[in-house]
Amino acid sequence: MGSIGTGAPRRGFIMGAAGTLLAAPAVAQQGFPDRPIRLVIPFGGGGQTDIVSRVTAEAMSQRLGQPVVADNRPGGAGNMAAEIAARAPADGYTVLVATLGTNSGLNALLYRNIGYDSARDFTPVGMFCTTSNLLIVHNSIPGNSFADVVAWIRANPGRFNFASAGVGAITHLIMEDVGARLNLDMVHVPYRQTTNAMTDLLAGRVHARCLGLPEGEPLRTAQSVRPIAVTTPGPRPEWPGVEPMSRVIPGFEASSYFGLAVPSRTPPEIVTRLNAALQEALKDETVRAAYRRVGADPAEPHPPEVFAARARDEGQRWATLIRRLNLVAE
């Protein structure tokens, strides 16, 4: 993924991961795991995050020989879940579903007084999937392509508005990034309730919304809106005929990751055991197909260092934008 700047987030679990592993106790944890593992999920049940997390939990349970129990803890864009996991014993029996906000340091920039420091409190285990986005535009905006819509926005500065799930949400950041790269004058309309955002989009009270691929499914047959672009490097098979933004912005890509992290000071032998189980799960085509069914792209098996690098790069990219716009989440 391309970078929009060189500034790094002040906090990010990847910044302290190597040192944490080196400082961990060298004594092997014999018999791990010998009881159920708790997987703390930072969002509520039923959504894409919950589904891919539970797929991962089941796959790892089969390989670890112990239940991996999902524990949904929504609130504060993942901050509640991250704080719970950060305060848990560093014994491998509490694992956090790590996200861009919680573990690339972005929530530390967007929110005041969060109850954890991802650099200090977490060690990466591995990434299990990524998710991408779709731009939906109301039919009151003319044009048959993303380039046409961009041309209309340029010809009508300040008239185009877009909805998001809130200040600092990835869908907000993507649109701000697009606007910055193309020098577009657009108006951001944040929503607390995504159902209200959808209602207003369908009614034309907002002109566009960037949303996750599965969220776009109910809009396939809508008469008042149309899909105009995806944020992946190339077209998506689920959305034939919808072009990638990269045709207008060369090299553009935007996605979110989901991975696993454990409290810092977790013994490296346990981190290695969890990572091995995750790598085995990611080789299973049944698991990979389950991710794809909900619009997620499975990660390739990799060691913790690869996930750490991905989280670092993502943090650097979006932190630059957050700082430049002086964004503060409510």
Side-chain angles (χ1 to χ4, degrees):
M1 175 179 291
S3 173
I4 63 172
T6 57
R10 184 169 57 89
R11 297 175 181 172
F13 79 134
I14 36 78
M15 299 170 67
T20 299
L21 286 174
L22 290 174
V27 178
Q29 305 300 302
Q30 297 295 330
F32 176 86
D34 60 8
R35 63 181 188 272
I37 294 171
R38 177 173 63 156
L39 182 67
V40 184
I41 303 173
F43 297 99
Q48 185 187 41
T49 305
D50 180 60
I51 293 170
V52 297
S53 297
R54 288 172 183 270
V55 167
T56 307
E58 176 60 27
M60 292 188 66
S61 176
Q62 294 172 7
R63 289 154 179 84
L64 291 168
Q66 290 289 339
V68 179
V69 181
D71 182 9
N72 296 84
R73 295 299 182 106
N79 288 331
M80 182 180 295
E83 185 173 356
I84 289 170
R87 294 180 177 180
D91 56 9
Y93 290 98
T94 299
V95 180
L96 174 70
V97 173
T99 69
L100 185 62
T102 59
N103 291 85
S104 282
L106 301 192
N107 282 4
L109 298 175
L110 290 165
Y111 292 85
R112 294 187 177 92
N113 303 318
I114 63 174
Y116 64 96
D117 181 322
S118 54
R120 179 193 65 210
D121 295 333
F122 292 106
T123 292
V125 173
M127 181 173 67
F128 56 85
C129 72
T130 60
T131 59
S132 301
N133 297 89
L134 173 75
L135 179 61
I136 300 286
V137 175
H138 190 265
N139 288 340
S140 60
I141 304 299
N144 297 317
S145 68
F146 181 51
D148 291 340
V149 171
V150 168
W152 189 91
I153 297 171
R154 283 180 171 151
N156 297 272
R159 291 181 57 191
F160 182 88
N161 56 52
F162 66 92
S164 83
V167 173
I170 186 62
T171 51
H172 172 214
L173 297 179
I174 289 170
M175 292 299 290
E176 295 287 4
D177 191 11
V178 167
R181 290 172 185 253
L182 298 176
N183 193 29
L184 303 178
D185 184 358
M186 303 185 295
V187 178
H188 174 224
V189 184
Y191 283 79
R192 288 184 181 274
Q193 298 292 331
T194 57
T195 53
N196 293 341
M198 194 72 78
T199 298
D200 284 356
L201 174 63
L202 290 170
R205 288 186 284 271
V206 290
H207 298 132
R209 186 180 173 204
C210 187
L211 37 69
L213 298 181
E215 292 179 275
E217 290 295 331
L219 300 177
R220 283 188 186 273
T221 58
Q223 299 299 309
S224 61
V225 298
R226 66 195 187 281
I228 207 71
V230 291
T231 65
T232 45
R236 295 290 306 192
E238 313 98 308
W239 293 90
V242 181
E243 65 183 13
M245 289 181 176
S246 60
R247 290 189 181 173
V248 176
I249 311 171
F252 184 85
E253 178 187 358
S255 61
S256 300
Y257 67 73
F258 294 102
L260 303 178
V262 291
S264 60
R265 299 177 304 282
T266 298
E269 295 85 0
I270 289 178
V271 176
T272 298
R273 179 74 180 98
L274 291 169
N275 176 264
L278 181 60
Q279 290 198 53
E280 291 170 13
L282 290 173
K283 295 174 184 177
D284 188 333
E285 187 53 41
T286 302
V287 174
R288 300 174 70 83
Y291 293 148
R292 294 190 188 102
R293 280 196 294 273
V294 291
D297 295 315
E300 295 304 317
H302 57 272
E305 293 77 17
V306 172
F307 180 32
R310 171 65 183 262
R312 180 190 62 242
D313 292 345
E314 294 280 4
Q316 290 174 344
R317 173 183 181 174
W318 299 114
T320 301
L321 186 66
I322 290 169
R323 288 192 177 107
R324 187 168 74 236
L325 297 175
N326 195 29
L327 299 179
V328 177
E330 296 180 0

